[in-house]
Amino acid sequence: MKLLLVEDDKEAAAYLRRALSEAGHTIDHAASGREGLLLAAGETYDVIVLDRMVPEIDGLAILRTIRASGVKTPVLLLTAMGGIDDRVEGLEAGGDDYLVKPFAFAELLARVNALARRPPTQEVQTALTVADLSLDLLKRTVTRRGVRIDLQPREFQLLEYLMRHAGRVVTRTMLLESVWDFHFDPKTNIVETHMSRLRGKLDRGKGSDLIHTVRGAGYVLRAPD
């Protein structure tokens, strides 16, 4: 693995560089916060081992800066401050793990290896867009051509499902199971009624239709040709 060690204590840094190298890892070392920030933001690492108290820019400032810029590299914080509030502050700043000095190298190595084994963080999708239609999953809002459209909760769920499957035909059964959680046919026109209302709000007077009926199959939401 390629690791970044940000540690200003010369003896500690030399010891960790030697021990981590002997364990088979490639180490870049920064002795100041400024140098550490430049490396953390500009290079690619498997894990960053970051001392909290480094000169020029402290470890928490480094953490907050790289997280704000989108760097998701796992970070193991090293610190002499072992209080609960200190640990919480470090984790909330973006740290993935916390190790209090003095520590055994075997424990540090185990924690570094554990962080490297974590699957990469997946981006959470917060918005869906098809043509001029936008759905915000956090604010629970829908707009078309920049104009807000008020939907009932079930209509919102129905539209979300259609947009997540944009360009593909979804059947009545798929909608019943995914939107209404019905695993049987209720023998009603519940899907057709809600779809009609949704189409009226989205398409009527908007110039081009987004929701289309596929005869004998279901529905499809797609951008205009």
Side-chain angles (χ1 to χ4, degrees), residues 169-170 192 195-196 199 203 209-222:
V169 176
V170 296
E192 292 76 11
M195 190 66 74
S196 177
R199 294 174 80 163
D203 292 342
D209 292 346
L210 296 178
I211 300 176
H212 304 269
T213 300
V214 181
R215 193 174 300 277
Y219 303 92
V220 61
L221 185 146
R222 63 170 180 263

Side-chain angles (χ1 to χ4, degrees), residues 9-28:
D9 185 294
K10 292 182 179 180
E11 290 186 9
Y15 170 69
L16 289 175
R17 290 178 70 182
R18 183 177 66 255
L20 288 168
S21 296
E22 290 173 352
H25 303 309
T26 300
I27 315 299
D28 283 349

Side-chain angles (χ1 to χ4, degrees), residues 125-144:
Q125 190 174 24
T126 61
L128 302 171
T129 302
V130 176
D132 55 5
L133 176 67
S134 298
L135 182 148
D136 190 311
L137 294 164
L138 295 180
K139 297 179 181 178
R140 308 297 287 180
T141 58
V142 176
T143 59
R144 186 165 185 198

